Amino acid sequence: MKFCKTYQEYMQGRERELPGVGFKNLKKIFKKCRTNPHSQDDHPLPALPTFNCPPQCPVCDGSFFPSLLMEMSAVVGCFNERVQKLLDIHLAKGFKKYYAWFNRKIEKDHVALIQEGQDLVTYAMINAIAVRKILKKYDKVHYSKQGQEFKSRVQKMHIEILQSPWLCELVALHINLRETQVRKGKTAALFDGCLFTITDGKPSLTCDLFDSVKLDIDLTCSICLDTVFDSVALNCGHIFCYMCACSAASVTIVDGIKAAHPKEKCPLCREAGVYEGAVHLEELNILLSRRCHEYWEQRLQSERAERIQQAKEHWEKQCRAFMGV
């Protein structure tokens, strides 16, 4: 595979050793499978150069999928951790921000943050391509659809890197920092693959680094059917307004979305247990407040009254319970 060489060169060129997909090891599994094929009744078959594995191959299934699952988990874990640290630095204020800059020992400007954000977006995209290609190769060798079924399973396990809410935050961060550089009259010599677009009144984030992969994130809440406000991403990757998500989870603003019952489901994909690890998308909120300023101010005023009303009802309920009324 030509991409295999490109991927290996990319991973070897990183300053830090980062987890990735073991193309060579996974290809060795295929090679071993082809040279030592076994049927379901364990009777050996003659080795043939053009032999393809049976649909359920004990050689591949016993080592291929577990190895790939472990590698994907390591990649997503590393990506999420590094993005969170990057966002903590950008969103930090006062003494905490200077302390964070001092610990990192890098320049106190946005160029370094933009560059690291670009590197992380590239890291996510190229690993997503690597997983897609190796699963496509598996299905080709086995004449099966188990590779695609495996991809569906890992999405439900929330270890698909393009499904990570931190990727959405990273794209928003990059756009925010790039616009800050432009306002200051500085030229940031960085890629323009991350864009915020509004089509037919509906905003979206797009990221197009490679011809074969394009990330497109719809920023319309599927509950209120309006642009997401005070956005939050559930474990399944779907984005909603914070108040809409709380309403769908049958909790109040005071209780918070993470107080939702584990049986509560995503309004869109109907997956349960997706509220506990919900991520508040601070960078996306900053981006939307700048690009949709008038809309943002209107929603801010309307939701402020609703939040005050919910808080009032909550404390009245608590007082009645305390007094036994």
Side-chain angles (χ1 to χ4, degrees), residues 304-316:
R304 182 177 297 165
E306 179 64 23
R307 289 174 184 244
I308 292 174
Q309 181 63 29
Q310 284 196 24
K312 181 180 178 181
E313 291 175 357
H314 172 82
W315 291 115
E316 286 179 352

Side-chain angles (χ1 to χ4, degrees), residues 227-238:
T227 302
V228 289
F229 176 81
D230 193 18
S231 54
V232 62
L234 307 185
N235 283 359
C236 55
H238 293 123

Side-chain angles (χ1 to χ4, degrees), residues 80-269:
N80 289 346
E81 182 181 355
R82 292 190 63 182
V83 173
Q84 289 182 59
K85 289 181 179 178
L86 192 64
L87 292 174
D88 286 342
I89 292 172
H90 183 238
L91 296 173
K93 296 181 180 179
F95 176 77
K96 184 178 179 181
K97 183 171 185 177
Y98 286 102
Y99 180 76
W101 281 113
F102 178 78
N103 280 347
R104 288 170 59 87
K105 296 180 181 179
I106 58 178
E107 292 184 50
K108 297 180 181 179
D109 57 37
H110 288 164
V111 175
L113 284 179
I114 299 176
Q115 186 61 55
E116 186 168 352
Q118 175 187 348
D119 292 342
L120 287 172
V121 171
T122 306
Y123 176 71
M125 290 294 189
I126 200 167
N127 275 283
I129 296 173
V131 171
R132 188 186 66 178
K133 285 186 175 292
I134 198 68
L135 289 176
K136 185 177 181 180
K137 180 70 173 179
Y138 178 94
D139 284 347
K140 182 178 179 181
V141 169
H142 293 81
Y143 289 109
S144 72
K145 295 183 179 180
Q146 292 185 68
Q148 295 304 313
E149 292 172 357
F150 172 79
K151 185 176 180 179
S152 298
R153 290 199 301 272
V154 298
Q155 286 177 345
K156 291 182 179 180
M157 297 168 65
H158 311 130
I159 56 175
E160 164 63 55
I161 196 163
L162 294 183
Q163 189 185 20
S164 172
W166 295 108
L167 181 57
C168 175
E169 276 287 80
L170 185 59
V171 173
L173 169 68
H174 182 84
I175 297 174
N176 287 335
L177 291 175
R178 189 175 60 199
E179 290 182 349
T180 300
Q181 291 293 99
V182 172
R183 285 198 299 269
K184 290 182 177 180
K186 298 179 180 179
T187 302
L190 300 160
F191 78 111
D192 295 323
C194 297
L195 299 171
F196 175 87
T197 59
I198 300 178
T199 306
D200 296 328
K202 295 184 177 181
S204 63
L205 289 179
T206 59
C207 189
D208 191 6
L209 286 181
F210 302 95
D211 293 336
S212 54
V213 170
K214 181 178 180 180
L215 181 67
D216 192 357
I217 303 172
D218 185 14
L219 301 179
T220 300
C221 176
S222 59
I223 298 177
C224 66
L225 303 180
D226 212 338
T227 302
V228 289
F229 176 81
D230 193 18
S231 54
V232 62
L234 307 185
N235 283 359
C236 55
H238 293 123
I239 301 174
F240 303 95
C241 302
Y242 188 78
M243 286 193 67
C244 293
C246 287
S247 178
S250 302
V251 295
T252 66
I253 295 294
V254 179
D255 294 327
I257 194 172
K258 295 187 178 181
H261 194 279
K263 292 184 179 180
E264 294 292 341
K265 300 178 180 180
C266 170
L268 201 57
C269 65

